[in-house]
Amino acid sequence: MSAALFDLSDRIALITGSSQGIGYTLAKGLAGAGATIILNARNSEKLEAAAERLRAEGATVHTNAFDVTDQKAVTAGIEAIETSVGPIDILVNNAGIQRRMPLEDFPAQTWDELMRTNLDSVFFVGQAVARRMIPRESGKIINICSVQSELGRPSIAPYTASKGAVKMLTKGMAIDWGKHNIQVNGLGPGYFKTELTEALVKDEAFTAWLVGRTPSGRWGNVEELIGAAVFLASPASSFVNGHVLYVDGGVTATL
């Protein structure tokens, strides 16, 4: 009985920004729980390479390359997935970017790029998928938030603003779509070792600060996000809605 609560067999999951990093790891984790996976990114070659790695491990994987910041491309991509693969049961809005510089020097065009990627894409893809989930009266949407949905750090104010907005959009989605048996929740990673954080991991001063700041006393390993993602994607979370689950080693719990 307990295992069945986390079983994703016969479910189709779309994960945006999943050719590498956290998105790829979450796709791998959902596949391990039985889901059919659809990888998404803009680079078709990287996408196919990621798919082949997952297939070699026994996963059922499809790919669909479209730009999540382009609403027309999103609409066409979701239609193609539902026509060729089947109804999307699980959506993980993972695509995102980071840009670091002092706020007073932050160019408007970089602000627009960051917001379009981190926030607009969640609205575009979430809306396109929800429009199809609503008539089916079923669905799971997981928006990737961050500890920066709650906390600030020097030189990343626009990123913090975007992730704070994703947290509140998650709550809004849950409020509007909960009546259709759609659960919308956020997954908030802390500091994890990925391709994008490699420079920070190698920065001895930053790592020393982070280890001292984190109750668990270390960087996170991306595989430690899988359990939370499977929970939020599965029947086990059928009455969890509008919540952000932080997987951060305790960073948001301490000053």
Side-chain angles (χ1 to χ4, degrees):
M1 177 62 181
S2 296
L5 288 174
F6 299 92
D7 184 12
L8 300 181
S9 299
D10 302 320
R11 309 291 173 88
I12 295 174
L14 166 64
I15 303 94
T16 68
S18 49
S19 61
Q20 63 179 1
I22 287 175
Y24 176 82
T25 300
L26 296 182
K28 181 177 180 179
L30 296 180
T36 293
I37 300 302
I38 302 159
L39 299 180
N40 160 264
R42 288 180 293 186
N43 187 316
S44 297
E45 291 184 4
K46 289 182 67 175
L47 209 54
E48 282 303 325
E52 285 304 315
R53 291 196 300 273
L54 290 178
R55 290 177 186 132
E57 297 180 12
T60 301
V61 185
H62 303 267
T63 63
N64 196 298
F66 60 83
D67 184 350
V68 293
T69 71
D70 181 337
Q71 190 171 26
K72 289 183 178 179
V74 168
T75 300
I78 299 306
E79 181 177 2
I81 290 167
E82 295 236 342
T83 300
S84 63
V85 181
I88 297 168
D89 302 293
I90 302 159
L91 167 64
V92 181
N93 275 313
N94 169 75
I97 60 173
Q98 172 68 285
R99 298 288 184 263
R100 298 176 182 274
M101 68 184 76
L103 184 58
E104 64 271 21
D105 299 326
F106 210 90
Q109 64 186 37
T110 306
W111 169 277
D112 291 342
E113 176 199 23
L114 189 146
M115 289 298 171
R116 198 156 183 85
T117 304
N118 292 2
L119 178 59
D120 292 2
S121 69
V122 177
F123 168 65
F124 293 155
V125 184
Q127 184 188 63
V129 172
R131 283 173 171 167
R132 294 171 179 272
M133 288 178 168
I134 287 170
R136 298 193 287 260
E137 290 287 312
S138 178
K140 298 279 191 176
I141 298 176
I142 304 169
N143 296 330
I144 302 304
C145 298
S146 167
V147 291
Q148 266 78 48
S149 296
E150 303 290 346
L151 306 171
R153 283 281 299 155
S155 79
I156 59 167
Y159 179 84
T160 301
S162 73
K163 288 300 185 177
V166 171
K167 178 185 76 170
M168 295 311 298
L169 180 56
T170 298
K171 293 178 183 290
M173 287 176 168
I175 293 165
D176 279 8
W177 300 336
K179 62 187 176 185
H180 300 293
N181 191 33
I182 299 170
Q183 290 86 55
V184 186
N185 293 289
L187 177 58
Y191 286 87
F192 284 80
K193 295 177 181 178
T194 70
E195 295 93 331
L196 297 179
T197 60
E198 186 176 0
L200 288 177
V201 173
K202 292 179 178 179
D203 185 329
E204 293 182 4
F206 183 86
T207 291
W209 170 83
L210 179 64
V211 168
R213 175 72 171 74
T214 306
S216 293
R218 61 178 176 84
W219 282 84
N221 298 307
V222 286
E223 292 76 16
E224 292 175 295
L225 290 166
I226 290 174
V230 170
F231 167 67
L232 293 176
S234 73
S237 60
S238 59
F239 202 55
V240 180
N241 212 5
H243 176 73
V244 180
L245 175 53
Y246 291 101
V247 183
D248 63 359
V251 164
T252 53
T254 182
L255 289 173

